[in-house]
Amino acid sequence: VPADVERAFTETIERDQRVEPRDWMPDGYRKTMIRQIAQHAHSEIIGMQPEGAWITRAPSLRRKAILLAKVQDEAGHGLYLYSAAETLGADRGDLTRRLIEGRQKYSSIFNYPTLTFADVGVIGWLVDGAAICNQVPLCRSSYGPYARAMIRICKEESFHQRQGYELLMTMMGGTGAQRAMVQDAVDRWWWPSLMMFGPPDHDSPNSAQSMAWKIKRHSNDELRQRFVDMTVPQAEALGVTLPDPALRWNSERGHHDFGDIDWVEFKKVISGGGPMNAERIAHRRRADEDGAWVREAAAAHAAKKRGARS
Ligand code: ACO
């Protein structure tokens, strides 16, 4: 690579400008971006399942319309992100194959079951809240198509978070049984939500390089702390307890202290051994197989058209 080409890339990063698809970039940068964007896209697509399971059982027409819109947004985010990965030379079919063969990861959070309708609210509040916390800084990520995708995605995530919180507020104003249902969902989702931010900084192999390339703007632990600080007052307003006896305000640090995360559980879930991993992948595989004839027909049609033109 000529020195001036490499320098142009470095200067783009230093000046906080965006790297665009046709620009030269180091192989490692391209690989890292494809990895992160693909994992993110897979998370959106797999993330349709836990809540999608409640669409037919939503308690009212209003709740059903909201949930349908939300799950459709997630499909949109996934497709949008696969397109961003394609600008780096990735092949969408190949990415899907890697997902269903367990060769590419998706977020740990979607490997837990949704047991009651309160889970829909808690996913909106905590899971989408954590997603926003992680993704707002990615609007300034150094790869242009990814950063721009994040702007739209974050707007829709804000709606998702608000619908979740509003649903929980409504349930907390209901019967004792409804309040207990919300508390139970909070107890089950709190720790997995903290795991969404990834391993602790000292055990995060990709962080240093991704921060140097300005793909990531904050470390995993920084964003996790931001999420805890943001969520504690929301839990108080809602009237639920976060299941962590070590959680308290530390006036010296100006942040909340919190208890130890179970990293053994995290590692198990991201290597395929979580409660719902097998089911999530089996469902995605089925959908891919069921849709194969559509892709084949579209390809045959495109080939025929090309033939007619030449
Ligand atoms: N679930 C699954 N895998 C994870 C998670 C998680 N919560 N956190 C980290 N990992 C994986 C990393 O992808 C990496 O895997 P790999 O190297 O085998 O590919 C490994 O664990 C080590 O982690 P890090 O070195 O910290 O990885 P990275 O620098 O990529 O940081 C992070 C992880 C913070 C998730 C980053 O990739 C990111 O910000 N991604 C974009 C956001 C995203 O994907 N969100 C999806 C869930 S939110 C939603 O869809 C509602």
Side-chain angles (χ1 to χ4, degrees):
V1 181
D4 58 327
V5 172
E6 210 167 338
R7 201 166 48 243
F9 172 82
T10 311
E11 282 174 4
T12 301
I13 302 287
E14 275 168 6
R15 289 185 190 135
D16 267 340
Q17 290 168 340
R18 299 282 170 268
V19 177
E20 295 298 338
R22 286 190 184 82
D23 295 344
W24 179 86
M25 61 191 86
D27 284 346
Y29 181 90
R30 188 182 298 276
K31 267 179 83 177
T32 299
M33 269 334 302
I34 292 176
R35 178 185 65 83
Q36 179 164 327
I37 297 175
Q39 283 180 4
H40 195 164
H42 297 331
S43 303
E44 300 282 358
I45 297 298
I46 296 284
M48 294 167 73
Q49 293 183 38
E51 289 173 282
W54 281 95
I55 291 173
T56 54
R57 294 173 289 171
S60 69
L61 182 60
R62 177 168 173 270
R63 293 290 169 203
K64 185 168 177 143
I66 294 171
L67 189 54
L68 263 176
K70 196 201 150 179
V71 173
Q72 284 176 350
D73 283 352
E74 281 156 6
H77 297 172
L79 299 182
Y80 211 39
L81 286 163
Y82 284 128
S83 297
E86 283 175 329
T87 68
L88 290 155
D91 175 78
R92 193 180 292 226
D94 179 53
L95 297 180
T96 300
R97 261 188 309 279
R98 283 169 194 260
L99 168 68
I100 57 188
E101 287 167 10
R103 289 188 286 133
Q104 250 171 5
K105 295 190 172 80
Y106 59 92
S107 184
S108 51
I109 194 73
F110 302 119
N111 294 302
Y112 294 87
T114 40
L115 303 182
T116 70
F117 201 72
D119 290 37
V120 170
V122 170
I123 290 176
W125 174 39
L126 295 180
V127 175
D128 297 323
I132 293 169
C133 218
N134 165 266
Q135 287 169 31
V136 164
L138 293 175
C139 296
R140 294 186 300 117
S141 187
S142 59
Y143 188 57
Y146 187 52
R148 289 188 290 274
M150 281 306 126
I151 296 172
R152 173 179 182 163
I153 289 176
C154 285
K155 284 184 185 161
E156 293 180 347
E157 293 292 354
S158 304
F159 150 62
H160 298 173
Q161 203 263 357
R162 290 300 296 263
Q163 68 81 34
Y165 199 71
E166 190 263 351
L167 163 53
L168 296 178
M169 274 291 191
T170 306
M171 288 187 82
M172 290 304 284
T175 64
Q178 285 174 310
R179 280 192 292 277
M181 206 186 271
V182 173
Q183 184 61 57
D184 172 65
V186 171
D187 291 346
R188 287 182 287 107
W189 289 94
W190 173 248
W191 291 105
S193 299
L194 295 188
M195 293 176 194
M196 286 175 70
F197 295 92
D201 294 349
H202 62 81
D203 195 22
S204 163
N206 301 301
S207 275
Q209 184 56 261
S210 287
M211 304 257 300
W213 278 329
K214 298 187 183 171
I215 293 171
K216 282 167 88 162
R217 293 290 186 155
H218 305 279
S219 77
N220 298 357
D221 286 330
E222 267 171 42
L223 291 173
R224 187 168 14 248
Q225 180 72 62
R226 191 180 284 185
F227 174 69
V228 172
D229 290 339
M230 182 181 101
T231 307
V232 168
Q234 295 172 356
E236 275 164 25
L238 200 55
V240 295
T241 313
L242 297 173
D244 179 1
L247 187 64
R248 67 179 60 87
W249 177 249
N250 180 329
S251 55
E252 263 165 48
R253 290 202 309 124
H255 291 291
H256 292 86
D257 291 336
F258 54 96
D260 294 332
I261 294 169
D262 184 349
W263 295 116
V264 174
E265 176 182 320
F266 172 74
K267 289 204 171 130
K268 191 172 165 196
V269 173
I270 69 170
S271 47
M276 298 295 282
N277 292 62
E279 190 170 328
R280 298 291 182 239
I281 292 296
H283 188 95
R284 182 67 193 88
R285 183 188 291 274
R286 238 179 357 257
D288 191 59
E289 287 165 3
D290 289 350
W293 71 272
V294 180
R295 293 190 299 277
E296 279 159 23
H301 181 67
K304 208 157 96 185
K305 274 199 139 175
R306 265 196 310 276
R309 260 204 305 274
S310 59

